[in-house]
Amino acid sequence: MTLKPVFAAAVSLLTCLSANAASADLSGYTLSYDDTTSFTAVDFTFGDGTNEGFGWNVANTVGVVSAGQGLLTATFALPSFTITAKPGFTLSGITGSLGNLVFNEVGTGASTSASAAGNVAINGLPAGVFGGALLKNTTFSAGTYNSGYYARQGTMGTPSYDSLRFSGGLLTLTASAGAGQFASVIGNDQNTLSFSVVPTAVPEPETFALMLAGLVAVGTLARRRQG
């Protein structure tokens, strides 16, 4: 089983972004982010008419390998970012996806693990934890050799908001292998880290006033016809 994209959406490269850029402009919101992590600049955006998101390809430097060295742990900072609704829009929910990080385990007792989590704050309120352990999917197993991938998609339901801040995110990989054993978890640029939210257009006050006036006119006409 392979990890499917979070959304069936058209993906377009952000050609307007330079290597040092730390912002992006989407149709329903603006994005500012930290481009100093291993993930550097945003690689793509996507949308399906309801959800709108962005993401990074996983750098080849993201990984951990233990060749008989016991338990090794590697930790990588995830990009912090802030999403701000554009005028006339409100936002809701957040979905994150990370995969597929390939693992290999050779030898009895060899093992691996992967987790990714960070803090999400809505409209400046106290943050809550978003993420957790990635799911381990074994695609091949023979004797003491196992291989597959780690991936996870998670959604946090939230009421409508104007801004969202993701910070303190960490990807933690472990590989444990004793003498004569081997264990690894390795990412590559075909793997992706992505986030999306739902932007909803909100009628301007003038639009509400026109709607109200229209309802009043319809009600008045209906009463006249009844009279």
Side-chain angles (χ1 to χ4, degrees):
M1 177 180 178
T2 58
L3 180 69
K4 297 180 179 179
V6 180
F7 305 108
V11 177
S12 60
L13 292 176
L14 295 181
T15 55
C16 60
L17 294 177
S18 68
N20 296 320
S23 63
D25 187 54
L26 290 87
S27 63
Y29 58 88
T30 57
L31 164 71
S32 60
Y33 64 94
D34 174 14
D35 65 349
T36 64
T37 70
S38 299
F39 296 84
T40 63
V42 163
D43 290 299
F44 57 88
T45 61
F46 58 90
D48 61 3
T50 300
N51 303 279
E52 191 172 26
F54 53 91
W56 294 264
N57 297 327
V58 178
N60 294 328
T61 55
V62 173
V64 61
V65 177
S66 176
Q69 299 160 289
L71 175 62
L72 298 180
T73 301
T75 302
F76 304 88
L78 300 178
S80 297
F81 61 83
T82 299
I83 296 171
T84 305
K86 289 185 175 180
F89 284 87
T90 185
L91 308 175
S92 62
I94 179 172
T95 296
S97 176
L98 176 60
N100 298 334
L101 308 180
V102 174
F103 73 84
N104 287 280
E105 300 167 351
V106 182
T108 302
S111 63
T112 58
S113 69
S115 64
N119 302 310
V120 170
I122 303 295
N123 287 344
L125 297 174
V129 176
F130 181 56
L134 274 64
L135 301 180
K136 186 177 186 179
N137 301 275
T138 301
T139 57
F140 181 81
S141 182
T144 61
Y145 174 59
N146 298 292
S147 65
Y149 63 90
Y150 284 97
R152 178 167 180 169
Q153 175 183 319
T155 299
M156 177 184 288
T158 62
S160 296
Y161 57 87
D162 296 318
S163 67
L164 178 148
R165 172 70 175 166
F166 177 85
S167 62
L170 293 176
L171 169 62
T172 303
L173 307 177
T174 70
S176 179
Q181 301 176 350
F182 178 87
S184 68
V185 183
I186 299 176
N188 61 67
D189 57 10
Q190 294 182 6
N191 305 154
T192 60
L193 167 69
S194 65
F195 296 90
S196 67
V197 301
V198 180
T200 303
V202 178
E204 297 293 335
E206 294 81 359
T207 303
F208 277 121
L210 289 174
M211 291 173 59
L212 180 59
L215 291 174
V216 171
V218 170
T220 300
L221 181 59
R223 287 194 297 272
R224 288 179 177 175
R225 287 181 176 177
Q226 291 176 354

